[in-house]
């Protein structure tokens, strides 16, 4: 494995680390929740589907055009509980384009953990992996998600109206992004 960033990442309250096989129970707790999956490209998952997803979660090798994303599982330092996940995709290796995603157990939402985790990953992605730009996408009705993008300092660059049918409804896609130099300026 050729990790683009040093792991684990520690923040004040969290540890961001690679997925482990014994994360299945923690994943079950939120991956079966219809509210959590509402804006995700999959339906609530069975234990079997979650177990099968571990191969993909643990399959990162390096940033390549066709490669799997880097999944990070987020632990609460205080209790050791696995509370959610971050994804970092490489969208273009040569142009150093990345995309970030996140999913948290509702039990651990509304406490700033997703922000703390995503901030730490973006910082490492810009400073260690030397990405040039990081994008994030969500449905316009996924307010918690785009609010998080705005808190991270990302700029709304697109709002595509009724650009797809998603789970039977018209979907409005938002694209947010921030450049490496903008992030470094923010972090000063
Ligand atoms: C998107 C998602 C990760 C956001 O999680 P979140 O917990 O709302 O995000 P944050 O970490 O930014 O927490 C924000 C809230 O914590 C509150 N908070 C409490 N303590 C805090 C602290 N110490 N620091 C910062 N915020 C804190 C904030 O006030 C804020 O609440 P508000 O939005 O009502 O003002 C979560 O909603 C989720 O997992 N959704 C389901 C999956 C999904 O849709 N993923 C995105 C696909 S595009």
């Amino acid at each position: 494995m050729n990790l683009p960033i040093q792991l684990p990442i520690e923040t004040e309250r969290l540890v961001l680390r690679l997925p482990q096989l014994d994360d299945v129970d923690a994943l079950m707790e939120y991956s079966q929740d219809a509210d959590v999956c509402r804006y995700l490209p999959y339906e609530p998952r069975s234990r079997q589907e979650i177990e099968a997803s571990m191969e993909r979660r643990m399959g990162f090798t390096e940033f390549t055009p066709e490669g799997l994303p880097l999944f990070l599982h987020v632990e609460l330092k205080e209790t050791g509980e696995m509370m959610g996940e971050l994804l970092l995709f490489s969208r273009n290796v040569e142009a150093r384009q990345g995309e970030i995603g996140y999913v948290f157990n509702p039990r651990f939402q509304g406490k700033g953990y997703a922000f703390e985790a995503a901030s730490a990953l973006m910082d490492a992605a810009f400073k260690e992996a030397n990405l040039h730009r990081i994008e994030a996408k969500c449905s316009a009705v996924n307010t918690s998600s785009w609010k998080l993008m705005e808190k991270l300092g990302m700029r709304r660059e697109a709002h595509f109206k009724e650009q797809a049918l998603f789970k039977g409804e018209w979907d409005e896609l938002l694209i947010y992004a921030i450049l490496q130099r903008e992030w470094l300026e923010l972090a000063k």
Side-chain angles (χ1 to χ4, degrees), residues 102 104 109-115 137 142 144-145 147 151:
Y102 32 70
F104 272 70
Q109 290 179 22
K111 297 182 167 66
Y113 295 139
F115 172 73
K137 296 177 187 152
N142 193 353
S144 316
S145 184
K147 273 174 71 177
K151 263 187 285 176

Side-chain angles (χ1 to χ4, degrees), residues 13 30 35-42 85 100-106 108-117 136-139 142-149 151:
R13 299 180 292 173
Y30 65 86
D35 285 339
V36 170
C37 300
R38 177 158 301 145
Y39 307 115
L40 299 178
Y42 50 80
E85 64 202 61
I100 191 171
Y102 32 70
V103 182
F104 272 70
N105 182 327
F108 300 100
Q109 290 179 22
K111 297 182 167 66
Y113 295 139
F115 172 73
E116 190 170 323
K137 296 177 187 152
C138 74
S139 167
N142 193 353
T143 312
S144 316
S145 184
W146 64 254
K147 273 174 71 177
L148 174 51
M149 294 169 197
K151 263 187 285 176

